[in-house]
Amino acid sequence: MRGSKLQRGAVKLRRGRPSDLDALDGLEREIFKSRLFSGHLLSRASFRRLLASSSATFIIAEADELAGYVLVLYRAHSSAARMYSIGVARKFRRRGLARMLVATAEKDAVRRGRKTLRLEVRADERGTIALYESSGYRRVGRAAGYYGGRVDALRLEKALVERI
């Protein structure tokens, strides 16, 4: 089944809730265990705080289990939202789930009155960069040593258009 596209009905997208804490924490550890660095691992306490925050939206993807999530942050009096974190469980990768989560994050940002969505991505993650660029994001900057002091981040941004 790996590699085949997920059908929209096979995945349920919903808001995160406190009962997701264990699954989110487990997914975060799975994701970062597979990388050489763990500089931006979200802690359990951060997950707990952000799940309860009115300035954050967790969007959970379920397919009989936690398949992925996206976390979007909202600063008061700002026209921009920030896609802070996105994660997809290993067995759900390369099936369109990340693209689905990004699109849902964009819709949430529009719903909350934001004009742009911004993010940072590791400069060495070519596949992830390609996903964002093919989704309409453009490079607006670079942060040297952003990830663990060793890997640069690319700053990307997308103008959001409210669909009528």
Side-chain angles (χ1 to χ4, degrees), residues 44 52-53 80 89 96-97 102 119 122 130 136 144 148-149 152 154:
R44 190 174 178 82
S53 175
L97 184 56
V102 169
L119 61 94
R122 287 175 57 111
D152 291 357
L154 296 180

Side-chain angles (χ1 to χ4, degrees), residues 91-144:
K91 72 186 213 178
F92 292 99
R93 292 184 191 154
R94 301 199 178 281
R95 297 171 62 190
L97 184 56
R99 189 173 300 279
M100 193 183 303
L101 286 165
V102 169
T104 304
E106 292 168 2
K107 288 176 190 168
D108 189 70
V110 167
R111 184 186 61 77
R112 290 183 66 156
R114 298 315 202 253
K115 305 291 185 211
T116 58
L117 187 55
R118 297 178 179 150
L119 61 94
E120 290 85 26
V121 61
R122 287 175 57 111
D124 61 355
E125 289 191 0
R126 291 186 303 231
T128 306
I129 294 165
L131 164 73
Y132 291 131
E133 289 181 338
S134 70
S135 296
Y137 289 80
R138 62 183 182 85
R139 297 178 192 201
V140 295
R142 186 179 194 101

Side-chain angles (χ1 to χ4, degrees), residues 28-146:
E28 188 78 351
R29 292 178 188 289
E30 171 197 317
I31 291 167
F32 282 90
K33 188 184 289 183
S34 67
R35 293 185 182 164
L36 296 176
F37 105 105
S38 60
H40 282 85
L41 177 72
L42 277 170
S43 70
R44 190 174 178 82
S46 292
F47 275 124
R48 184 179 296 114
R49 180 178 49 79
L50 290 164
L51 281 163
S53 175
S54 63
S55 64
T57 298
F58 261 104
I59 299 164
I60 301 293
E62 288 182 326
D64 295 328
E65 62 186 280
L66 180 71
Y69 77 89
V70 64
L71 170 60
V72 183
L73 303 180
Y74 298 93
R75 180 174 280 158
H77 312 294
S78 175
S79 64
R82 181 174 179 215
M83 191 182 322
Y84 186 75
S85 184
I86 186 169
V88 175
R90 182 175 317 213
K91 72 186 213 178
F92 292 99
R93 292 184 191 154
R94 301 199 178 281
R95 297 171 62 190
L97 184 56
R99 189 173 300 279
M100 193 183 303
L101 286 165
V102 169
T104 304
E106 292 168 2
K107 288 176 190 168
D108 189 70
V110 167
R111 184 186 61 77
R112 290 183 66 156
R114 298 315 202 253
K115 305 291 185 211
T116 58
L117 187 55
R118 297 178 179 150
L119 61 94
E120 290 85 26
V121 61
R122 287 175 57 111
D124 61 355
E125 289 191 0
R126 291 186 303 231
T128 306
I129 294 165
L131 164 73
Y132 291 131
E133 289 181 338
S134 70
S135 296
Y137 289 80
R138 62 183 182 85
R139 297 178 192 201
V140 295
R142 186 179 194 101
Y146 185 84

